Amino acid sequence: MTDYKKVLVAVDGSDESDKIITKALAIAGDSNAQLDVVMVFEPLLGSYSFELNMADFEKVQKEHQEQVASKMRAKLAAVSPSVPAQQVHFQRGKPATEIKKLCEELGSDLLVIGSHGHNPVRAVLGSTANAVLHGIHCDVLTIRV
């Protein structure tokens, strides 16, 4: 097996995130690699955007992100309290794009990602995992969830 130096694990906050993080921790531990965790928030769309002005919409978006980030931090602390806060990244944008960009910035040599996201529409239209594969510079391990 390849010795990895920097492992990035992408999660979506679903119940399956624990399984993905656990696998990434095992791989990082075997290689004595740095582990970073990323969660990407997609902009909220839909009925909110029609009922709120932009300032209110931005406030709703930030509150939602803070709530989800807080739950993710708690979940991560329960699974692995050894991952420092500066290695937990919360991004905003299109998941595949943001994951690839962070992977490049960190110099990650392995990306660990789940095979399915928590959005049922995405399962029909194509997954983030599949989109990440195109143009990424490092190895990708997809965990079946």
Side-chain angles (χ1 to χ4, degrees):
M1 177 180 234
T2 303
D3 283 332
Y4 295 106
K5 306 274 187 269
K6 291 187 175 188
V7 176
L8 176 63
V9 57
V11 294
D12 63 7
S14 66
D15 291 339
E16 291 83 11
S17 294
D18 291 355
K19 179 180 178 180
I20 298 164
I21 291 168
T22 301
K23 293 270 189 174
L25 281 166
I27 292 166
D30 289 346
S31 299
N32 199 26
Q34 174 181 315
L35 179 70
D36 285 84
V37 179
V38 63
M39 182 174 187
V40 181
F41 295 101
E42 292 184 89
L44 293 173
L45 297 174
S47 60
Y48 290 121
S49 61
F50 299 109
E51 296 171 12
L52 302 172
N53 65 40
M54 285 311 289
D56 290 339
F57 183 73
E58 189 64 28
K59 181 181 175 191
V60 168
Q61 176 83 30
K62 285 181 182 179
E63 288 172 357
H64 169 73
Q65 286 178 197
E66 288 170 11
Q67 188 176 44
V68 173
S70 177
K71 287 180 185 175
M72 189 64 227
R73 282 188 193 97
K75 184 178 288 218
L76 186 58
V79 175
S80 174
S82 63
V83 179
Q86 67 268 23
Q87 289 170 220
V88 180
H89 310 271
F90 295 98
Q91 310 284 45
R92 186 171 169 186
K94 189 173 180 180
T97 302
E98 295 302 318
I99 291 166
K100 287 191 283 189
K101 185 169 35 170
L102 183 62
C103 202
E104 183 80 31
E105 288 171 9
L106 295 173
S108 301
D109 45 12
L110 176 66
L111 170 66
V112 180
I113 190 168
S115 59
H116 298 20
H118 66 279
N119 184 341
V121 174
R122 196 173 294 135
V124 175
L125 300 176
S127 70
T128 297
N130 186 45
V132 165
L133 290 173
H134 302 286
I136 196 159
H137 73 281
C138 67
D139 292 349
V140 178
L141 174 63
T142 306
I143 306 300
R144 181 175 300 278
V145 293

